[in-house]
Amino acid sequence: MPQEQTKQQASTIIAPLPMPPLSHRKSALRITLDTNVWLDWLVFDDPAIQALRSCVALGQARLTAHSLMRLELDQVLNRISWRGAALAGRAPELLARFDTLVTPQADILPSCSWQCTDPDDQIYLDWLTAGFTDVVLTKDKALLRLAKTLARAGRGTIEHPRHATAQWFMDKMQA
């Protein structure tokens, strides 16, 4: 009986999505999150990214990041303005969660010919166009303005996390 309750509790935490099997893709969808989306995942537990969480938990998507992206997250988590009661001293714990979620990648980063108007976000553009990820989920307007251009050029997907619904993931998995 306790084992059944545990399974039942797990299914409510990570609800399976109606996804095609991974055999329709060569591998799991590779996704990179910008710092604000990481904060939604690690700090704010934003329900808008539940579909993403489910896909990662089920192995249908895997998170990728460059070490400089982790460094930026570390800096943001340790800013004095974030050191309120909710985050006081939690940066190491949150970074440890980041480390368990991210698939390690090569730490090379070739520059691309597209330029982001926000120099701090150029790394996401370079990472995407170099082929280290299939999708960048971001709330950054400078990156989102480049989404259509990169999609037309076949260089990857930049998307706002609110659009990353279960249906969106199904469509990406079948592509």
Side-chain angles (χ1 to χ4, degrees):
M1 184 79 112
Q3 194 173 24
E4 287 177 28
Q5 286 177 335
T6 304
K7 287 180 184 177
Q8 205 171 34
Q9 289 169 344
S11 68
T12 59
I13 294 169
I14 301 172
L17 298 175
M19 297 285 183
L22 282 179
S23 60
H24 289 154
R25 287 186 51 87
K26 293 177 185 164
S27 62
L29 188 64
R30 298 169 303 156
I31 299 176
T32 297
L33 310 181
D34 80 357
T35 302
N36 286 321
V37 181
W38 273 114
L39 292 173
D40 288 345
W41 182 305
L42 297 171
V43 177
F44 303 118
D45 200 25
D46 187 347
I49 61 168
Q50 183 56 42
L52 170 63
R53 286 175 179 268
S54 295
C55 286
V56 170
L58 296 169
Q60 295 165 324
R62 64 185 172 96
L63 301 172
T64 66
H66 189 276
S67 63
L68 293 175
M69 296 171 192
R70 184 189 188 281
L71 179 63
E72 179 183 358
L73 178 61
D74 184 18
Q75 291 168 348
V76 169
L77 289 171
N78 282 295
R79 282 190 190 143
I80 292 172
S81 62
W82 283 100
R83 301 297 289 200
L87 286 180
R90 290 191 57 212
E93 166 206 339
L94 297 172
L95 287 169
R97 284 182 56 204
F98 171 95
D99 292 338
T100 63
L101 291 165
V102 170
T103 302
Q105 299 287 313
D107 244 0
I108 57 171
L109 190 62
S111 296
C112 71
S113 58
W114 287 279
Q115 293 299 306
C116 185
T117 56
D118 182 346
D120 291 337
D121 291 321
Q122 184 66 38
I123 188 170
Y124 296 99
L125 189 56
D126 293 341
W127 190 249
L128 176 66
T129 60
F132 290 110
T133 192
D134 302 309
V135 176
V136 171
L137 291 180
T138 184
K139 295 179 180 181
D140 185 87
K141 291 176 183 170
L143 283 170
L144 290 167
R145 280 193 294 271
L146 291 165
K148 288 181 183 176
T149 302
L150 290 173
R152 280 193 299 267
R155 297 307 300 256
T157 301
I158 298 174
E159 191 64 73
H160 194 286
R162 75 171 168 254
H163 297 137
T165 63
Q167 182 62 52
W168 182 85
F169 278 105
M170 284 194 322
D171 293 345
K172 287 290 178 194
M173 294 297 292
Q174 292 173 346

